Amino acid sequence: MEETEGDPPTSAVLLDHCHFSQVIFNSVEKFYVPGGDVTCYYTLTQQFTPRRKDWIGIFRVGWKTTREYYTFMWVTLPVDPNNISTKQQEVQFKAYYLPKDDEYYQFCYVDQDGVVRGASIPFQFRPENEEDILVVTTQGEVEEIEQHNNELRKENQELKDSCVSLQKQNSDMQAELQKKQEELETLKSINKKLEQKVKEQKDSWETELLQLKEQNQKMSSENEKMGVRVDQLQAQLSTQEKEMEKLVQEAQDKTEQLECLKKENGQLFLSLMEQRKHQQKLEKTMEELKQQEAVATKKQQELTDQNFDLSKRLSEDKMIYNVLQREKERLEGENDLLKRDNIRLMSYMGLDFDSLPFQAPTSDQGGAGQNPGLVFGNPYSGIQESSAPSLRSIKKCPTCNSNLADDIFDHISQQQPIQTLSLNCPICDKSFSPNEEQIFEDHVFCHSL
């Protein structure tokens, strides 16, 4: 085996013998002839797994730390650590690295953490047959040799005791290892069950994920439908704006007709009553719109968590409400204008508007007694002086269903024939023919937006 560059990993900590039985050295000779290569045989036990930085060193007997090695060689990792035949390993020390004295040495297996995992019996580097060599020693040298032999015997006995202890420890570790292996098998079984449960849970999550994806697609489809609905509402709003422009144009036309109405006091009076009725209807409509607005606001608050885009409908409702509010204010302004025109006209005619009764003396059927200066005659000529509004027959207005006296109802009937089969909008008084029932419902629905 080739020697790797660099110093081996060592430790300066004093070591005990608790791990010496994990690597067992085999066929260790008592003597090795100097000048020759030495092959070290060792066996790896099941409790030990070799690593790349493990090494085997030659230590002088009596060493305390792994830093006191004389020489070392890196070990070779087995090709298949699980194969029993590969547990028997060897490493060769070259002759020029070996000690030259005759001190006692031993092999030690040291892992990459600097911990000793096995130690061999002591050996010497000297010739085996020394009986033919004449050794001349003094008495002092003999006593020193005997003392050294006694120390070696003592160390040998300690090593034997340590070997017995290590064998016992090895047996205990074998039993513990068997127990750990059984626990490992149990843990493997539990792990297998847990993996099965994890797989089932994963399948369940995948199924739930597919369901969530389908729900997401449905929500996307509903959002697209709501977008189409919003576009339709915007189109209806545009149509309503055009209708409002048309109403403004009609209001301008009515303003131009006021010059003619100034010459007809009776028609102006009827128009004033109609404006009052219309004002009451608008006030009632405003109350309904406020209630509808409250309901729409509550509904919008509930739908806000479902889809943010639906909030635009509330804004549209508020815009319509503001438009209707401005229409009411405009109509109130027109009503005030009509009142001022009526007062001015009555003043021009020499009448007091505040003291004007709602009944006037009746005239003959032929229209006698009418003022020839009026274009349409005296509007009060057909009213009996002694009659009261509460005693006369009451009829319904064809537009707002309000109670009207007979003469007012007849006058309205003469100015505008009653269409019993027409569909009238309760908000803007727009009329529709019976065959336009769907258009009428859509028109009324637009007012509630």
Side-chain angles (χ1 to χ4, degrees), residues 215-388:
Q215 293 179 359
N216 190 17
Q217 292 178 356
K218 291 181 180 179
M219 291 297 296
S220 298
S221 177
E222 291 179 358
N223 288 336
E224 291 178 357
K225 292 180 180 179
M226 292 303 297
V228 173
R229 179 59 180 168
V230 168
D231 293 337
Q232 293 178 355
L233 293 176
Q234 289 179 351
Q236 293 178 0
L237 178 62
S238 178
T239 304
Q240 188 176 6
E241 290 177 352
K242 293 180 180 179
E243 292 178 355
M244 291 300 297
E245 293 176 356
K246 185 177 180 181
L247 291 175
V248 171
Q249 185 64 33
E250 292 177 356
Q252 293 177 356
D253 297 338
K254 289 181 180 180
T255 304
E256 295 176 357
Q257 294 176 1
L258 286 177
E259 296 297 332
C260 297
L261 293 177
K262 290 179 181 180
K263 299 178 182 180
E264 302 174 357
N265 188 26
Q267 187 175 358
L268 180 61
F269 181 76
L270 293 177
S271 298
L272 181 60
M273 293 186 65
E274 290 178 359
Q275 291 294 334
R276 289 179 178 176
K277 296 291 184 180
H278 190 60
Q279 180 181 0
Q280 294 177 357
K281 181 188 288 186
L282 286 176
E283 292 176 353
K284 182 178 180 181
T285 303
M286 289 299 298
E287 294 294 330
E288 295 176 354
L289 287 176
K290 289 180 180 179
Q291 296 177 359
Q292 292 176 359
E293 182 187 12
V295 173
T297 304
K298 182 178 179 181
K299 184 176 180 181
Q300 182 199 18
Q301 186 65 28
E302 295 174 354
L303 294 177
T304 300
D305 297 335
Q306 299 178 1
N307 195 330
F308 180 77
D309 294 336
L310 294 180
S311 61
K312 295 181 180 179
R313 297 184 60 182
L314 179 60
S315 300
E316 295 174 359
D317 291 341
K318 291 182 178 180
M319 291 173 62
I320 295 174
Y321 173 77
N322 294 331
V323 172
L324 293 176
Q325 183 71 23
R326 290 194 297 269
E327 180 65 15
K328 176 188 173 184
E329 294 175 356
R330 184 185 63 80
L331 292 176
E332 289 178 352
E334 292 181 359
N335 189 14
D336 295 336
L337 182 61
L338 291 175
K339 286 182 179 180
R340 289 194 297 269
D341 292 341
N342 190 18
I343 293 172
R344 188 169 56 253
L345 183 59
M346 295 299 295
S347 175
Y348 176 76
M349 296 174 61
L351 298 176
D352 188 1
F353 180 77
D354 295 333
S355 62
L356 182 64
F358 288 95
Q359 295 84 19
T362 59
S363 60
D364 295 337
Q365 295 276 339
Q370 294 181 354
N371 191 347
L374 296 177
V375 178
F376 294 98
N378 190 353
Y380 306 103
S381 60
I383 304 175
Q384 295 181 0
E385 182 177 1
S386 61
S387 62

Side-chain angles (χ1 to χ4, degrees), residues 8-23:
T10 59
S11 176
V13 180
L14 295 177
L15 303 175
D16 54 14
H17 304 286
C18 61
H19 301 294
F20 284 12
S21 63
Q22 295 183 357
V23 177

Side-chain angles (χ1 to χ4, degrees), residues 46 87 137 159 171 194 200 216 218 349 403:
Q46 296 180 355
K87 298 296 183 179
T137 58
L159 289 174
S171 177
L194 290 176
E200 294 176 356
N216 190 17
K218 291 181 180 179
M349 296 174 61
N403 295 328

Side-chain angles (χ1 to χ4, degrees), residues 16-158:
D16 54 14
H17 304 286
C18 61
H19 301 294
F20 284 12
S21 63
Q22 295 183 357
V23 177
I24 300 173
F25 289 92
N26 306 318
S27 303
V28 179
E29 303 291 339
K30 294 182 179 180
F31 306 99
Y32 289 99
V33 178
D37 297 338
V38 175
T39 302
C40 174
Y41 300 96
Y42 61 95
T43 302
L44 303 175
T45 61
Q46 296 180 355
Q47 292 83 11
F48 178 71
T49 301
R51 291 181 288 179
R52 187 173 60 86
K53 288 287 187 178
D54 294 354
W55 55 282
I56 293 178
I58 297 177
F59 291 78
R60 181 178 292 179
V61 175
W63 59 272
K64 299 298 182 181
T65 65
T66 55
R67 292 182 178 180
E68 300 176 15
Y69 67 91
Y70 184 85
T71 184
F72 77 97
M73 292 294 292
W74 298 105
V75 300
T76 303
L77 295 179
V79 179
D80 186 6
N82 297 322
N83 191 354
I84 299 177
S85 62
T86 62
K87 298 296 183 179
Q88 182 72 31
Q89 302 292 324
E90 64 180 41
V91 63
Q92 190 177 42
F93 290 89
K94 297 298 181 179
Y96 49 83
Y97 290 126
L98 299 176
K100 306 301 181 182
D101 55 19
D102 58 352
E103 295 291 337
Y104 283 89
Y105 294 89
Q106 64 181 149
F107 298 114
C108 292
Y109 188 103
V110 184
D111 63 9
Q112 68 178 14
D113 296 327
V115 179
V116 177
R117 298 295 180 176
S120 69
I121 60 175
F123 56 85
Q124 287 180 295
F125 293 94
R126 65 181 177 84
E128 296 182 2
N129 298 322
E130 294 184 349
E131 292 78 9
D132 298 336
I133 301 175
L134 179 62
V135 179
V136 178
T137 58
T138 62
Q139 184 65 27
E141 292 177 348
V142 171
E143 292 177 357
E144 184 179 354
I145 291 173
E146 289 179 357
Q147 184 180 0
H148 185 66
N149 289 334
N150 292 331
E151 291 177 357
L152 290 177
R153 290 190 190 96
K154 184 178 180 181
E155 290 180 359
N156 189 19
Q157 185 63 35
E158 291 178 355

Side-chain angles (χ1 to χ4, degrees), residues 433-447:
S433 61
N435 56 359
E436 295 178 341
E437 183 177 358
Q438 184 62 38
I439 300 176
F440 169 73
E441 293 178 357
D442 294 340
H443 175 77
V444 175
F445 177 74
C446 290
H447 285 295

